[in-house]
Amino acid sequence: MPAVKRASVRAVLAATGMAVLTGFAAPATAAPQATDAKPVVKSEQKAETHKKAKTVKAPTASQLMPLGVNAEQASFAPTGEQKANADAIIKVGKEMKLPPRAWVIAVATAAQESTLNNLGHLGDQNDHDSLGLFQQRPSAGWGSPDQLTDPEYAARAFYEGLVNVPGWQDMALTDAAQAVQVSAFPYHYAKWEKLAANLVLAEYGKGPLAG
């Protein structure tokens, strides 16, 4: 390229505010510039999402147990499977936009009915045709056996029953649970209230069951 034309092109680039680099165009095969940036892999993204979830503000004691604990409490050290079942119950409650109190009622109910184990048919030990976390009965219209042994379906069925109980938000836990379950042992739900609250708190990385 003639020197005069080269100078004029440089002048145009300078006049338009463009930086003049060495040469007028990078070769088509130029290698990309090396950077120190580290690509975010899926496992790191998942860990970051989990970390953010744990930083969400946990429910208060008054939201979880507004009436306090009014019965002698029972407890057990939940296995990974039992925690996963509690997590499924809480997840559905969140999806239905129900308050934390509803999650506690649901988890406590499942703790009483099945100790948070997703029970199939137990033969001679079975209570009629009761199944799943909440021991719901297909013959009573709760759903099919396959549905009732799906933790999320069973939890949703329980919550749908709960929200149809007038004033459930202000009831003692055992009364709210009994209104849905119609159990032969209506006062047994109360003893799992604190355990249920601790399982909810564990979702937020808080309380004795966190980790």
Side-chain angles (χ1 to χ4, degrees):
M1 180 181 287
V4 174
K5 190 172 182 181
R6 187 182 194 83
S8 64
V9 173
R10 288 180 180 274
V12 170
L13 290 173
T16 56
M18 297 177 65
V20 179
L21 304 175
T22 303
F24 293 106
T29 57
Q33 294 293 317
T35 69
D36 294 330
K38 182 181 177 182
V40 178
V41 296
K42 286 185 178 180
S43 60
E44 291 175 341
Q45 290 173 329
K46 185 175 180 181
E48 183 64 23
T49 300
H50 185 69
K51 182 179 178 182
K52 288 180 180 178
K54 293 298 185 183
T55 60
V56 175
K57 188 175 180 181
T60 64
S62 62
Q63 289 175 310
L64 298 173
M65 300 179 290
L67 303 179
V69 175
N70 52 18
E72 185 176 348
Q73 296 297 286
S75 188
F76 55 83
T79 64
E81 182 179 354
Q82 288 168 314
K83 274 193 171 184
N85 287 331
D87 290 346
I89 294 169
I90 295 164
K91 174 189 172 187
V92 173
K94 290 179 180 179
E95 289 174 351
M96 294 178 70
K97 302 189 185 308
L98 295 174
R101 177 59 173 170
W103 317 341
V104 172
I105 294 171
V107 173
T109 300
Q112 169 59 28
E113 296 290 356
S114 67
T115 57
L116 290 169
N117 289 294
N118 192 18
L119 301 176
H121 197 281
L122 301 177
D124 292 341
Q125 295 181 319
N126 217 63
D127 178 16
H128 301 286
D129 55 344
S130 301
L131 296 167
L133 294 175
F134 294 87
Q135 290 293 280
Q136 295 151 326
R137 298 177 60 189
S139 63
W142 284 97
S144 70
D146 285 344
Q147 289 172 324
L148 298 181
T149 49
D150 175 345
E152 292 191 17
Y153 177 94
R156 189 172 298 274
F158 175 83
Y159 285 126
E160 287 174 351
L162 180 65
V163 298
N164 282 312
V165 175
W168 68 267
Q169 301 95 324
D170 302 316
M171 288 181 176
L173 183 146
T174 198
D175 293 335
Q178 172 63 6
V180 180
Q181 298 293 103
V182 194
S183 169
F185 306 98
Y187 302 110
H188 286 200
Y189 301 107
K191 66 186 177 184
W192 302 108
E193 190 159 3
K194 192 169 183 181
L195 174 68
N198 284 333
L199 283 165
V200 170
L201 286 175
E203 282 279 298
Y204 298 84
K206 306 290 184 182
L209 299 180

